[in-house]
């Protein structure tokens, strides 16, 4: 049972391909144990979404993901009526034999992630991704859903969750979330991993890379984070980049190959300009010295 | 439930955190106790992480939490200096805001009604830099009354609008079609509604702006009061976020808090450096994206003109529009010769003045009307 202790959960996460630190394991463990949503915050690319996927996989639960964006509304997040089917149904039926109750029944309902999670009979991990992108109105709505796991559809009535889904929310801190929402959640801040852990993660995620390349790539990215960049690379960039290096048959970092592949790590033109010539050579030398 | 000793420990610890400014309600304490019940209490770091994930709700609180945890559970010898996060009491008389007892009072003669203009109308066109103490006191009431207009954006959300609108209201249409055998005879429509656009104000409070900074800060406070989605910053040699301080309804409290926050009031200017600090620290979190950004500064950079240009360009790439308010532009002879100003100009969408109450009114209505990026 992965949920009998923090150690067990930690090794189950590792088996699921996610290398957590003790803090994240504890936060996930407590959240699963006491049945409260967990809010994961951190810079982009530190593995917030991946953590939710790993939890779903180790629990054998279905992962339902709601990707938030500005303007997200109930018809995209909860449910929508299938209007085309409704109209066809009215036309196909004899005059006057269709009543409203039939028309707005569950046959004509399109289920979106939140409704799906509440209705599900099997265990579910509900990932509400990048909640900070959604509008504040949606946050208020979400608050209601998270507090009692029920959804009201005017034409049908209230649907209550048969089993409470495990909820993980992620936020990049584009804006501060409402206190009321935070009160409903446990909180964990994921920072950039320590160098040794990052090397381990890269080795795990890119098994084709040699141990030496993984260590050098992680050290190089760690060096980049020390610089004053518009967007310091996250763990996700280290992994992408190592994959690119492996695809090019790289055994060891050198200035030429780094220059060719830097686009996998740095996403702003200014940053690419800032990391050139001596800066780049210095970082490569530093990474190779490990 | 954990043993009563643990309960007592955690409850007291929560009180320590509350004193340090964290918002730790009974709900969080209950979570912490349930969490501790689930983990084994043998490993100190498990206890730490459990309490941290249940009692903390934002990143800024982590440092305070760590200090308190060390003091409380690990028995650090001295009770640490806990950094207060909220609930601060404003100091009486904050620097920079209480206008110097102006000797100009005697110059402020009988200008109540002159030539048919009311005193307020005259005052509206008087340069902030030339106002007496008493005039400024009257001007601040005028400023507080403006700046309520906000730039708007079309939301993605649709509202039912009856028989006209942008897109069909399908739920209404299906329901109406029941009566007509499935033929959509009666149509219902929905339209996008207008919502306030994000507004970002960055105020230069350096020495060269001294005569204007107080008045413009009042403008910032008025703008802050216009609703959600307003962010305010001030800078001299470094950047300070004013949003939480200016959020107070009472202008006196708000301004006192803000003034205490700004450490380098009337000092030197590092516009480029401060804009960079904004872009790095806040712009990256997409505070700027889609916002109307307003920079209130005379563009008098002391260090690096090129940096001002670069960072203004960065801001402009993310913002919906950039408005630069330069009080010096109130003088008809003004030419943007200051290096920083010249470097920033190519990246600015609107360049206006802000040297008197009337120009701030114009600014407020300009902000309300910005509906496209560049001036036609």
């Amino acid at each position: 049972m992965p949920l009998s202790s923090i150690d067990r959960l930690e090794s189950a996460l590792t088996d699921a391909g996610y290398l957590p630190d003790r803090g994240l394991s504890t936060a996930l463990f407590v959240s699963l144990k006491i049945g409260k949503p967990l809010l994961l915050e951190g810079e982009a690319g530190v593995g917030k979404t991946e953590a939710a996927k790993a939890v779903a996989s180790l629990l054998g639960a279905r992962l339902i993901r709601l990707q938030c964006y500005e303007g997200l509304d109930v018809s995209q997040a909860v449910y929508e009526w299938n209007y085309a089917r409704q109209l066809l149904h009215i036309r196909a039926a004899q005059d006057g034999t269709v009543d409203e109750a039939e028309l707005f029944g569950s046959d004509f309902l399109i289920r979106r992630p939140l409704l799906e999670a509440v209705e599900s009979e099997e265990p579910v991990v509900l990932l509400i991704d990048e909640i900070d992108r959604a509008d504040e109105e949606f946050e208020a709505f979400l608050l209601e859903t998270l507090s009692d796991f029920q959804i009201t559809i005017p034409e049908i009535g209230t649907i209550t969750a048969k089993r409470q889904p495990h909820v993980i929310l992620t936020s990049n801190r584009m804006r501060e979330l409402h206190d009321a929402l935070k009160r409903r959640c446990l909180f964990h801040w994921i920072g950039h991993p320590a160098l040794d852990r990052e090397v381990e993660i890269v080795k795990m995620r890119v098994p084709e890379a040699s141990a030496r390349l993984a260590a050098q790539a992680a050290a190089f990215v760690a060096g980049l984070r020390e610089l004053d960049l518009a967007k310091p690379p996250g763990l996700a960039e280290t992994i992408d980049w190592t994959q690119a290096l492996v695809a090019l048959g790289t055994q060891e970092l050198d200035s030429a190959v780094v220059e060719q592949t830097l686009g996998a790590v740095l996403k702003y033109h200014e940053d690419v300009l800032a990391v050139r010539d001596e800066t780049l050579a210095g970082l490569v030398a530093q990474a190779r010295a490990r | 439930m954990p043993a009563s000793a643990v309960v007592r420990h955690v409850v007291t610890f929560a009180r320590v955190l509350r004193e340090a400014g964290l918002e730790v309600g009974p709900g969080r304490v209950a979570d912490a106790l349930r969490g501790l019940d689930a983990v084994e209490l043998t490993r100190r770091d498990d206890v730490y992480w459990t309490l941290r994930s249940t009692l903390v709700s934002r990143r800024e609180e982590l440092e305070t939490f760590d200090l308190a945890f060390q003091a409380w559970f690990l028995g650090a010898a001295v009770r640490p200096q806990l950094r207060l996060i909220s609930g601060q009491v404003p100091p009486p008389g904050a620097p920079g805001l209480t206008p110097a007892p102006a000797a100009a009072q005697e110059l402020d003669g009988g200008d109540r009604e002159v030539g048919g203009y009311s005193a307020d109308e005259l005052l509206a066109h008087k340069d902030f830099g030339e106002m007496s103490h008493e005039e400024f006191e009257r001007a601040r009431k005028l400023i507080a009354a403006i700046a309520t207009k906000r730039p708007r954006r079309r939301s993605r959300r649709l509202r039912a609008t009856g028989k006209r609108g942008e897109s069909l209201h399908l739920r209404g249409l299906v329901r109406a079609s029941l009566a007509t055998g499935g033929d959509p005879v009666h149509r219902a429509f929905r339209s996008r509604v207008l919502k306030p656009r994000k507004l970002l104000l960055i105020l230069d409070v350096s020495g060269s702006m001294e005569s204007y900074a107080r008045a413009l800060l009042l403008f910032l406070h008025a703008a802050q009061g216009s609703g959600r989605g307003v962010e305010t910053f001030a800078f001299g040699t470094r950047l300070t976020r004013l949003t939480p301080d200016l959020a107070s309804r009472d202008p006196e409290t708000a301004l006192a808090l803000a003034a205490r926050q700004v450490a380098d009031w009337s000092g030197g200017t590092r516009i480029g450096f401060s804009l960079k600090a904004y872009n790095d620290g806040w712009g990256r979190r997409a505070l700027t994206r889609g916002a109307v950004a307003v920079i209130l500064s005379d563009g008098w950079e002391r260090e690096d003109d090129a940096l001002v240009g670069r960072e203004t360009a960065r801001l402009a790439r993310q913002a919906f529009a950039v408005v630069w308010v330069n009080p010096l532009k109130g003088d008809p002879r003004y030419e943007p010769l200051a290096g920083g100003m010249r470097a920033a100009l190519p990246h600015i969408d609107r360049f206006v003045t802000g040297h008197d109450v009337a120009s701030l009114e114009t600014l407020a209505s300009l902000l309300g009307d910005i509906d496209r990026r560049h001036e036609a």
Side-chain angles (χ1 to χ4, degrees):
Chain A
M1 268 306 285
L3 287 187
S4 57
S5 74
I6 298 176
D7 289 330
R8 288 277 173 75
L9 180 68
E10 206 159 26
S11 62
L13 281 167
T14 311
D15 294 343
Y18 189 92
L19 212 60
D21 64 12
R22 190 71 179 183
L24 178 60
S25 317
T26 311
L28 283 169
F29 180 78
V30 172
S31 143
L32 292 169
K33 273 284 183 195
I34 72 176
K36 267 209 149 187
L38 176 63
L39 169 64
L40 293 177
E41 273 192 349
E43 304 287 336
V46 290
K48 303 184 290 289
T49 306
E50 293 302 314
K53 290 183 183 163
V55 169
S57 119
L58 75 88
L59 292 174
R62 187 153 76 100
L63 180 75
I64 296 181
R65 176 176 177 175
L66 174 66
Q67 172 65 51
C68 299
Y69 51 85
E70 196 178 343
L72 177 68
D73 61 7
V74 169
S75 71
Q76 288 306 311
V78 192
Y79 71 94
E80 170 92 293
W81 293 105
N82 190 340
Y83 302 111
R85 259 192 91 186
Q86 285 176 321
L87 283 179
L88 286 173
H89 184 74
I90 304 174
R91 300 203 72 161
Q94 300 277 318
D95 278 347
T97 53
V98 181
D99 64 4
E100 233 181 277
E102 185 188 344
L103 204 55
F104 289 96
S106 77
D107 284 351
F108 296 94
L109 199 60
I110 302 172
R111 289 161 175 80
R112 305 286 193 206
L114 282 183
L115 182 58
E116 238 182 297
V118 163
E119 271 193 336
S120 175
E121 308 262 340
E122 344 134 76
V124 161
V125 170
L126 173 63
L127 167 63
I128 300 171
D129 220 359
E130 305 191 314
I131 170 73
D132 49 336
R133 284 180 192 273
D135 301 320
E136 284 171 41
E137 295 95 329
F138 183 76
E139 215 176 294
F141 170 81
L142 201 59
L143 193 64
E144 241 174 87
T145 314
L146 290 185
S147 54
D148 41 17
F149 290 100
Q150 54 183 31
I151 285 169
T152 302
I153 303 173
E155 292 89 348
I156 291 182
T158 299
I159 300 169
T160 309
K162 293 178 187 73
R163 52 157 72 219
Q164 192 172 315
H166 295 302
V167 185
I168 296 179
L169 299 98
T170 76
S171 158
N172 291 327
R173 267 169 68 90
M174 275 167 43
R175 64 180 174 83
E176 200 67 59
L177 300 178
H178 207 277
D179 279 344
L181 183 69
K182 292 193 153 184
R183 224 170 286 133
R184 295 267 180 280
C185 305
L186 306 186
F187 171 81
H188 183 72
W189 170 264
I190 306 187
H192 291 300
L195 183 54
D196 291 342
R197 211 166 69 82
E198 183 151 359
V199 174
E200 289 310 309
I201 296 170
V202 171
K203 279 198 232 165
M204 185 177 204
R205 297 295 299 272
V206 195
E208 312 82 42
S210 66
R212 180 191 241 179
L213 181 65
Q216 291 183 353
F220 184 86
V221 173
L224 285 178
R225 285 186 202 131
E226 307 269 302
L227 300 179
D228 182 24
L229 297 178
K231 165 79 181 74
L235 179 57
E237 276 79 22
T238 318
I239 293 171
D240 286 352
W241 185 43
T242 313
Q243 272 162 350
L245 290 172
V246 167
L248 292 173
T250 314
Q251 296 297 322
E252 207 170 354
L253 288 191
D254 58 59
S255 294
V257 76
V258 170
E259 218 162 304
Q260 285 161 25
T261 50
L262 208 55
V265 190
L266 298 176
K267 307 297 170 67
Y268 280 85
H269 183 58
E270 290 91 330
D271 289 353
V272 177
L273 289 183
V275 183
R276 269 200 318 201
D277 308 333
E278 302 97 74
T279 318
L280 189 134
L283 283 173
V284 170
Q286 198 183 319
R288 284 172 61 120
R290 268 188 49 90
Chain B
M1 271 286 121
S4 65
V6 177
V7 176
R8 202 159 350 108
H9 234 48
V10 171
V11 168
T12 322
F13 179 57
R15 195 177 304 146
V16 171
L17 291 177
R18 265 197 296 275
E19 274 171 28
L22 269 70
E23 198 192 305
V24 183
R28 289 200 171 274
V29 176
D31 286 344
L33 291 171
R34 285 167 66 203
L36 287 177
D37 206 21
V39 307
E40 290 158 36
L41 295 181
T42 47
R43 279 185 59 164
R44 180 201 285 164
D45 57 343
D46 287 354
V47 173
Y48 165 80
W49 287 112
T50 303
L51 290 179
R52 188 174 124 160
S53 64
T54 47
L55 297 177
V56 173
S57 68
R58 53 171 53 97
R59 189 192 176 189
E60 287 74 17
E61 296 170 354
L62 291 178
E63 199 185 320
T64 313
F65 175 86
D66 286 353
L67 285 172
F69 185 85
Q70 267 173 19
W72 191 253
F73 286 94
L74 310 183
V78 216
R79 209 183 135 134
Q81 278 274 309
L82 295 176
R83 199 164 47 90
L84 286 174
I85 288 179
S86 61
Q88 291 148 319
V89 191
L97 282 168
T98 21
Q105 242 159 14
E106 57 237 37
L107 299 175
D108 181 33
D111 62 350
R112 292 283 154 202
E113 292 278 343
V114 186
Y117 291 101
S118 77
D120 282 354
E121 273 170 78
L122 277 181
L123 195 63
H125 293 280
K126 184 147 190 175
D127 194 291
F128 291 127
E130 291 160 9
M131 279 186 189
S132 68
H133 172 65
E134 198 236 345
E135 280 173 325
F136 187 78
E137 285 305 305
R138 282 191 285 137
R140 59 191 299 161
K141 291 197 189 69
L142 296 179
I143 298 172
I146 57 177
T148 44
K149 272 196 206 157
R150 284 278 295 281
R152 302 179 90 74
R153 64 173 173 92
R154 279 148 52 92
S155 82
R156 288 179 51 112
R157 187 171 285 219
L158 294 163
R159 292 269 154 73
T161 48
K163 294 195 173 177
R164 287 163 158 276
E166 295 170 33
S167 68
L168 281 168
H169 179 23
L170 286 165
R171 196 190 290 215
L173 178 131
V174 166
R175 200 169 268 136
S177 304
L178 265 176
T180 52
D183 292 327
V185 177
H186 303 290
R187 277 158 298 170
F189 284 92
R190 301 197 299 175
S191 290
R192 299 192 188 285
V193 291
L194 290 174
K195 304 193 67 176
R197 189 175 274 288
K198 281 189 283 187
L199 183 61
L200 161 73
L201 300 127
I202 305 177
L203 171 64
D204 181 346
V205 295
S206 63
S208 59
M209 285 283 289
E210 200 175 5
S211 343
Y212 302 103
R214 277 188 291 139
L216 294 178
L217 189 60
L218 285 166
F219 180 79
L220 258 58
H221 178 252
Q224 189 80 66
S226 73
R228 284 172 167 274
V230 183
E231 284 285 343
T232 43
F233 293 83
F235 71 87
T237 51
R238 60 181 190 82
L239 184 78
T240 315
R241 180 169 177 245
L242 296 181
T243 311
D245 302 306
L246 288 184
S248 167
R249 284 243 167 264
D250 173 37
E252 295 298 327
T253 316
L255 296 184
L257 274 173
R260 207 174 54 158
Q261 280 288 320
V262 180
D264 51 356
W265 198 273
S266 302
T269 330
R270 290 199 290 173
I271 304 176
F273 175 84
S274 304
L275 286 181
K276 179 163 169 26
Y278 169 80
N279 282 330
D280 285 348
W282 302 91
R284 196 184 287 162
R285 286 195 223 147
L287 213 64
T288 327
R289 209 167 288 284
V292 169
V294 185
I295 301 171
L296 307 103
S297 165
D298 55 5
W300 200 250
E301 166 75 15
R302 300 291 156 84
E303 275 181 3
D304 186 351
D305 292 341
L307 186 65
V308 180
R310 266 203 311 282
E311 294 302 325
T312 312
R314 239 177 110 193
L315 187 73
R317 276 202 296 279
Q318 295 203 339
F320 176 76
V322 176
V323 179
W324 194 296
V325 181
N326 187 337
L328 301 181
K329 198 169 178 274
D331 187 331
R333 290 159 301 175
Y334 170 77
E335 300 256 356
L337 292 178
M341 195 66 247
R342 266 222 307 262
L345 266 182
H347 312 290
I348 299 170
D349 300 308
R350 308 278 203 285
F351 187 37
V352 299
T353 178
H355 65 291
D356 59 15
V357 176
S359 66
L360 289 184
E361 263 165 10
T362 315
L363 170 63
S365 64
L366 168 77
L367 292 181
D369 286 342
I370 287 188
D371 56 359
R372 78 181 127 164
R373 210 188 149 103
H374 300 289
E375 206 156 14

